[in-house]
Amino acid sequence: GLLSKIAFQISSQTESGDLLGRIGQSAFAMLVRSKIREKALVAKAEGILQSIQLLPEVQSCGLSASAGIAAVTCSEPSFHHLL
């Protein structure tokens, strides 16, 4: 279905150490573990949104996608405390 295709688009742009999950009916979260600059993170989000907008199912139904970005700086070696 469409959500599987969207999940594929997002996962194709993850890197080793990133964590991707579905957190709602049509919401996904991607936790990026690497130290990435804000501009690079924004560019990554924009690339993901663009790839979703290009899906035929999204275009034919006039759907839209949005993203929010939050940065957390911590010394924990894992994401477990954020979940």
Side-chain angles (χ1 to χ4, degrees):
L2 180 56
L3 287 177
S4 295
K5 291 179 180 182
I6 291 171
F8 177 79
Q9 293 299 321
I10 299 169
S11 67
S12 69
Q13 298 189 46
T14 61
E15 298 176 21
S16 178
D18 292 350
L19 180 65
L20 174 64
R22 186 169 166 196
I23 59 169
Q25 189 168 351
S26 60
F28 294 86
M30 181 170 65
L31 302 177
V32 178
R33 185 178 189 131
S34 63
K35 294 181 181 180
I36 185 170
R37 295 189 183 273
E38 184 178 346
K39 284 184 180 183
L41 191 55
V42 169
K44 182 177 221 166
E46 288 173 345
I48 291 169
L49 290 175
Q50 184 177 33
S51 69
I52 292 169
Q53 293 294 343
L54 292 175
L55 291 171
E57 298 88 344
V58 172
Q59 290 183 348
S60 66
C61 294
L63 301 174
S64 64
S66 62
I69 298 173
V72 176
T73 304
C74 61
S75 59
E76 291 288 327
S78 73
F79 291 126
H80 290 78
H81 68 286
L82 297 175
L83 305 173

